[in-house]
Amino acid sequence: MGAFPVSMEKEAALARRMTALGVRESDIDESFVRSGGHGGQNVNKTSTCVMLLHRPTGLQVKCQATRQQGLNRFLARRLLLDKIEERQTGFVAARRSEIEKIRRQKRKRSRRAKNKMLADKSHHADKKAGRRTFSGD
């Protein structure tokens, strides 16, 4: 049995990814704290939340996705590797633009934009229904 409660293939893939990114297990500080939120007595009594600190980069990750400490340890390492890879390969700008795009999509429309959209919709509906209006007949 491996160090984490996942399949040996997933654990091996994590180890390969760590070596590819140049992350050693000795560079990671691991600490456990009590989780919050759902989980009842389990999260109140046991320290299932995992916090990882990668000393060379100063990146810190906290994972409390599951009620199992071992699985949280595995998931936290994956999150840490995602952050390190994002920093090394320069995907930071791409991620920032993606977040900005989502923010723009969620932004409330202005009154003029709403009226224009509704006018376009009614115009399109009139075209579909064949209710063309001819002026000058």
Side-chain angles (χ1 to χ4, degrees), residues 52-101:
L52 297 180
L53 172 70
H54 187 242
R55 277 185 252 119
T57 59
L59 289 174
Q60 190 170 8
V61 170
K62 184 176 180 183
C63 181
Q64 59 181 19
T66 68
R67 290 171 54 179
Q68 300 174 358
Q69 187 184 68
L71 192 54
N72 282 336
R73 289 179 65 216
F74 175 77
L75 294 173
R77 277 169 176 72
R78 280 203 333 204
L79 285 172
L80 183 67
L81 291 177
D82 288 345
K83 279 191 170 187
I84 291 171
E85 186 175 21
E86 191 174 287
R87 180 179 275 193
Q88 284 181 356
T89 56
F91 283 118
V92 177
R95 178 78 178 130
R96 189 174 292 132
S97 66
E98 184 181 324
I99 290 170
E100 183 67 24
K101 180 181 175 187

Side-chain angles (χ1 to χ4, degrees), residues 15-74:
R16 283 193 302 272
R17 193 166 170 214
M18 284 178 78
T19 54
L21 291 172
V23 177
R24 293 186 311 246
E25 194 66 41
S26 59
D27 293 339
I28 298 174
D29 282 337
E30 187 174 41
S31 58
F32 305 101
V33 293
R34 292 207 177 116
S35 298
H38 300 290
Q41 210 172 30
N42 186 60
V43 297
N44 296 330
K45 291 172 74 174
T46 59
S47 298
T48 55
C49 180
V50 178
M51 287 178 46
L52 297 180
L53 172 70
H54 187 242
R55 277 185 252 119
T57 59
L59 289 174
Q60 190 170 8
V61 170
K62 184 176 180 183
C63 181
Q64 59 181 19
T66 68
R67 290 171 54 179
Q68 300 174 358
Q69 187 184 68
L71 192 54
N72 282 336
R73 289 179 65 216
F74 175 77

